[in-house]
Amino acid sequence: MAQHHSAAAPRRFAFLDTPWPCRAWISATVLAACVLPFVLAPLGHQHTWQSDTATGVLLVGLSIVNVEIGRLLERGISNSQRPHKALSAWVFAAALLLPTGWLLLVAAVTYAHARWRGMRVTLWKWIGSAAYVVLAGLAGALAAYAVLGDQRDLMLGAGGRGLAGVLVGAAVFLVVQTVLFHGSAYLNDPADEVWLRQTLASPSFYLTEAAVLLVGGLSAAIWTGGAWFVLLLAPVYALTQRAALHEPLRERADHDDKTGVLRFESWRRMALAGVERCHRGQRPWCVLFADLDHFKAFNDTWGHLVGDRALVAVADAIRAELRSADLLARFGGEEFCVFLPDTSAEAGLAVAERIRCAVGSTPVGSGSWVTISVGIAAAPAETDPSELVRVLTAADRALFRAKEDGRNRTGVELLSA
């Protein structure tokens, strides 16, 4: 894990501060993206009825239009944290229409223009992202060609074979792209990849990305069968771009930027819905409050950058002890809250103890460790949903007692209906 450099000047090249497995992963994929499209060119599609130059110019032009539509929807705001979904459509279309060597050119121009127009992702991540898309496009091109062979018109006859080629190519593209992005997300420092890990864990990301790839496939099919009819897809591009923008905006509103867990306001809304379900089903539930011990002193000793990494590590440790239905949020500062539906007092206490032990045994950077105190309030099945605030208050009291009793322990409050 990277060391804290509180007294040192920031390094000019952020890539050099990443863990060596991440540097190796990015370097290997960039090299592969520069070489493999030319080495494997004989195994991919060669030409369509249209000229390669006209096709390449069209795809780059469509990517520029798509980025500009996004800027209009975002009112020109530069954005460093959103998926580059719309960009992959044109690389995939290039994979279906052009010799594979064109993938590098289409991706390079597309990504360069998007960065110039405001997608301010860290440069090494942006280059890595472009390399991933090139390699995914290459894999999609080879898979599509295995189905289509030398068929130039994707809409030939009833279009069944062309459709199969597009679907197979899109599926392979998405799988390869997913694997490559997971590589950098989990080989890099967790504190530097909270947003990407959160994005990759969301099913909606894959649904939107698949839809975008199919838009690219549809554009390619129309270009081979009806050429300039592709211009009639402009409204589809606008709707696709809007969908690509909506999901990250919603995720940002609901989740804490630093740790990737829910914000308290979103947590409270979701917890209330969960309490109502428990009330209807006559099932008990619990709320936990957890607060890192002596965290101000930790920050003073190790610095706020290590403190940020510690918060990410603690959030991950807590999340690992929860079920998919449980809700975790950052309450504020170094405090977290958890809603446990369908959970008795005994089961809730067991979860609280697992969380306390997991955090205490998790290294959080620079050879440092932290402990956590937990307060739990257990609500019986008859508890009315309007009593959520009372249960939260009880959990906070239990946390206060745990700290008063020496910290790194669990306090419990049992409530009556």
Side-chain angles (χ1 to χ4, degrees):
M1 183 170 288
Q3 299 296 308
H4 174 56
H5 299 284
S6 59
R11 298 187 64 161
R12 182 176 179 182
F13 300 107
F15 181 60
L16 300 178
D17 286 332
T18 61
W20 73 263
C22 183
R23 295 198 302 272
W25 180 263
I26 295 293
S27 300
T29 52
V30 170
L31 178 61
C34 292
V35 173
L36 291 182
F38 302 101
V39 173
L40 300 179
L43 303 179
H45 181 72
Q46 298 303 310
H47 303 284
T48 65
W49 296 114
Q50 312 299 329
S51 106
D52 290 349
T53 301
T55 302
V57 169
L58 172 76
L59 295 178
V60 170
L62 289 175
S63 77
I64 291 173
V65 168
N66 224 29
V67 168
E68 296 306 322
I69 289 173
R71 283 180 57 80
L72 288 174
L73 292 173
E74 292 179 307
R75 295 177 174 85
I77 298 173
S78 296
N79 199 330
S80 63
Q81 295 284 48
R82 73 173 173 90
H84 325 306
K85 295 182 174 75
L87 305 186
S88 57
W90 317 117
V91 177
F92 180 56
L96 297 172
L97 296 174
L98 294 166
T100 55
W102 279 83
L103 291 171
L104 197 58
L105 178 62
V106 172
V109 176
T110 296
Y111 268 71
H113 170 259
R115 183 173 179 81
W116 174 58
R117 296 298 281 165
M119 291 189 183
R120 298 302 186 206
V121 175
T122 303
L123 182 58
W124 71 264
K125 293 183 179 182
W126 192 247
I127 293 172
S129 175
Y132 298 163
V133 170
V134 169
L135 292 177
L138 177 61
L142 301 183
Y145 184 70
V147 176
L148 296 170
D150 292 322
Q151 179 177 321
R152 295 188 176 189
D153 184 355
L154 297 178
M155 300 179 73
L156 183 67
R161 187 176 178 186
L163 176 62
V166 170
L167 292 177
V168 169
V172 172
F173 187 112
L174 186 57
V175 168
V176 172
Q177 184 185 42
T178 298
V179 170
L180 293 172
F181 272 108
H182 271 83
S184 56
Y186 289 92
L187 292 174
N188 194 15
D189 189 327
D192 193 31
E193 298 294 358
V194 170
W195 177 85
L196 182 56
R197 292 188 182 190
Q198 175 186 316
T199 299
L200 293 173
S202 171
S204 61
F205 167 77
Y206 302 99
L207 292 174
T208 306
E209 185 71 2
V212 167
L213 292 174
L214 294 180
V215 167
L218 177 61
S219 301
I222 293 176
W223 182 245
T224 63
W228 295 106
F229 273 87
V230 74
L231 297 179
L232 297 181
L233 288 175
V236 176
Y237 303 149
L239 290 174
T240 303
Q241 184 66 266
R242 184 171 183 176
L245 292 172
H246 172 76
E247 181 61 23
L249 290 175
R250 186 189 65 78
E251 289 289 334
R252 176 174 290 183
D254 284 343
H255 291 80
D256 174 57
D257 290 335
K258 187 169 292 184
T259 61
V261 303
L262 290 168
R263 298 181 191 272
F264 178 70
E265 295 79 7
S266 301
W267 178 91
R268 181 167 54 184
R269 183 182 70 252
M270 296 178 188
L272 181 59
V275 170
E276 290 173 347
R277 287 192 294 270
C278 289
H279 183 67
R280 288 194 300 270
Q282 288 297 288
R283 299 184 298 271
W285 49 279
C286 297
V287 168
L288 307 182
F289 268 166
D291 190 28
L292 293 177
D293 299 323
H294 303 296
F295 197 64
K296 182 181 183 302
F298 180 94
N299 276 331
D300 291 343
T301 301
W302 297 99
H304 288 281
L305 292 179
V306 176
D308 287 348
R309 289 199 287 270
L311 288 173
V312 173
V314 168
D316 289 344
I318 296 174
R319 189 187 290 111
E321 301 300 327
L322 302 178
R323 304 163 298 181
S324 59
D326 300 334
L327 299 175
L328 169 64
R330 186 180 177 198
F331 183 73
E334 64 273 18
E335 192 168 8
F336 297 86
C337 54
V338 181
F339 170 66
L340 303 173
D342 308 328
T343 304
S344 65
E346 294 78 11
L349 179 59
V351 173
E353 279 296 290
R354 289 204 308 271
I355 288 173
R356 186 182 64 80
C357 293
V359 171
S361 60
T362 298
V364 295
S366 299
S368 55
W369 303 77
V370 293
T371 61
I372 198 166
S373 298
V374 184
I376 173 173
E382 301 79 16
T383 306
D384 190 87
S386 62
E387 295 291 289
L388 176 60
V389 173
R390 181 170 72 96
V391 180
L392 289 172
T393 303
D396 195 37
R397 285 198 303 268
L399 173 61
F400 179 78
R401 283 201 305 274
K403 287 188 168 291
E404 286 288 296
D405 290 342
R407 293 182 168 82
N408 191 23
R409 62 192 64 216
T410 299
V412 183
E413 279 219 12
L414 303 177
L415 286 85
S416 57

